[in-house]
Amino acid sequence: MKTIKIGIIGAGRIGKIHADHLLHMPGAEIAAISDLYAGGELRDWAAERGIPLVTNNSTEIMEHPDIDAVFICSSTDTHVPLIKQAAASGKHIFCEKPVSMSVEQTREALAAAEAAGVSLQIGFNRRFDHNFSRVREIVSEGKIGEPHLIKITSRDPNPPHPDYIKVSGGLFMDMAIHDFDIARFLSGSEVVEVYAQGAVLVDPAIGEQGDIDTAVTTLRFASGALGVIDNSRKAVYGYDQRVEVFGSGGSVSADNDYPSTAVVSGPEGVTRDKPLYFFLERYKEAYINETRQFIESLQKGTPVPVSGYDGLQAELIALAAKRSLEQGRPVKLAELSSGISTIS
């Protein structure tokens, strides 16, 4: 099959992670990487990996005649213009979540990709986790009957710096958006109504930025099923990522991943390792799997596994959760076709 030549835009942590995975992936070749602050350190890093072009101008990647697809790993505020530029250049797109903080802008980006006939995949890597994907398989095969309840626990080991909250979009857009996507993925149904409650229980500085660090969000699905998501910015025992789908014919659940399965039993109690520390460790294989499936979809000409529509739906749920928290009431996603549709 054809080798897909890649340009990476944004050489921060996630951009470099994707680069390292692509370098070891059959059928993919990194032709260039760009970053606004590209300097000697990035050039040395790229040279060690055989990446031929390093630039601080993403337009060089967009205009590069040999590049087939771009990975957009830059800050969220750049995603929409870069998607539009890539689409106009006829390049396929992998974009980290969220597409934007504005539903209107996200719709514009999706429309640009569709009009240009290019593929657009959104970086919801948790769908490719070995635990969650197996849960989805079991649900879709009907082994637990019709889903009635979807329960998701998602807690970080430590909160981000309060300055990050200023640009992240807040807990619902930055953190829980993954859980909103997984809720749709596991249930096989669309979310139609959201009710969220939140508090500042971890870091007062997060509250000073107008955000929360602890939340419980309930979902109502089109199928009639219900969902519950609990989020915290700080779990002292580590990264807590668990799901359960309860249905008419049984239930299926997935626990955390651990460095080992060893359990020590003694007179003072029973102990085991803490969960894998954070998302880079917990979802390493998921990042690899999502990248591999993106490349394979381009080679085969098949639809990407996580579409721009999936990105839009997760953003709509995040917006509904924010509005619910602010107004203290359940919010139907149908309401979001009018009124404010920007995450501030």
Side-chain angles (χ1 to χ4, degrees):
M1 289 186 181
K2 175 187 176 182
T3 295
I4 305 298
K5 294 190 176 182
I6 305 293
I8 298 175
I9 301 173
R13 179 171 57 180
I14 194 63
K16 288 180 175 177
I17 287 171
H18 283 307
D20 282 336
H21 293 159
L22 286 163
L23 287 168
H24 298 92
M25 192 163 294
E29 177 185 329
I30 303 176
I33 187 166
S34 74
D35 193 273
L36 283 174
Y37 306 102
E41 183 178 347
L42 179 60
R43 295 179 193 282
D44 290 343
W45 178 89
E48 290 174 0
R49 290 158 174 79
I51 299 174
L53 174 62
V54 178
T55 176
N56 59 9
N57 185 358
S58 62
T59 300
E60 286 192 54
I61 288 180
M62 299 298 188
E63 296 178 349
H64 197 300
D66 297 330
I67 288 178
D68 303 297
V70 296
F71 273 61
I72 299 175
C73 307
S74 48
S75 60
T76 300
D77 62 313
T78 68
H79 289 180
V80 169
L82 287 173
I83 289 173
K84 290 179 177 179
Q85 190 177 5
S89 300
K91 303 194 186 303
H92 301 292
I93 306 156
F94 180 102
C95 183
E96 281 299 332
K97 64 79 192 169
V99 175
S100 78
M101 305 292 184
S102 162
V103 171
E104 284 84 1
Q105 289 183 23
T106 295
R107 286 179 172 140
E108 289 176 9
L110 270 56
E114 182 177 5
V118 299
S119 296
L120 170 60
Q121 179 168 324
I122 308 304
F124 284 124
N125 63 295
R126 295 185 191 180
R127 290 183 176 224
F128 304 89
D129 170 68
H130 60 288
N131 293 326
F132 297 166
S133 60
R134 181 60 180 143
V135 170
R136 173 57 188 154
E137 286 176 4
I138 290 168
V139 173
S140 63
E141 290 166 0
K143 292 183 177 178
I144 64 159
E146 292 297 322
H148 289 177
L149 293 170
I150 292 87
K151 297 175 68 176
I152 299 171
T153 290
S154 181
R155 304 165 185 165
D156 288 352
N158 278 299
H161 193 280
D163 288 345
Y164 174 72
I165 302 299
K166 297 178 183 178
V167 298
S168 73
L171 183 144
F172 293 127
M173 181 61 78
D174 165 59
M175 179 184 179
I177 193 168
H178 278 292
D179 307 307
F180 300 148
D181 179 67
I182 282 295
R184 294 179 61 243
F185 178 63
L186 296 182
S187 68
S189 181
E190 294 294 356
V191 173
V192 296
E193 186 176 82
V194 180
Y195 179 57
Q197 291 188 305
V200 180
L201 303 174
V202 174
D203 186 352
I206 291 177
E208 292 169 5
Q209 296 298 332
D211 195 25
I212 55 174
D213 54 37
T214 308
V216 173
T217 306
T218 59
L219 310 173
R220 184 178 297 275
F221 296 89
S223 65
L226 302 176
V228 179
I229 301 169
D230 72 83
N231 296 108
S232 174
R233 289 285 196 181
K234 184 175 183 179
V236 296
Y237 51 84
Y239 197 38
D240 195 353
Q241 299 284 289
R242 292 172 283 137
V243 302
E244 179 191 11
V245 182
F246 170 82
S248 59
S251 70
V252 57
S253 62
D255 198 359
N256 291 305
D257 274 0
Y258 300 87
S260 78
T261 59
V263 177
V264 180
S265 301
E268 296 180 354
V270 179
T271 61
R272 69 176 304 168
D273 292 335
K274 292 181 179 180
L276 292 173
Y277 178 67
F278 209 2
F279 65 94
L280 294 182
E281 296 84 3
R282 172 65 176 80
Y283 291 116
K284 179 180 178 180
E285 291 301 318
Y287 280 115
I288 294 172
N289 291 337
E290 72 170 350
T291 303
R292 179 184 297 112
Q293 290 194 34
F294 175 66
I295 297 299
E296 290 177 352
S297 73
L298 300 186
Q299 291 176 318
K300 297 175 181 178
T302 55
V304 294
V306 187
S307 68
Y309 175 81
D310 292 318
L312 175 62
Q313 289 304 115
E315 288 176 28
L316 286 168
I317 299 169
L319 172 61
K322 181 176 173 63
R323 183 178 293 185
S324 173
L325 180 67
E326 292 173 342
Q327 299 183 3
R329 64 176 180 87
V331 173
K332 287 180 168 49
L333 264 65
E335 296 179 30
L336 303 182
S337 59
S338 61
I340 300 173
S341 53
T342 300
I343 301 291
S344 57

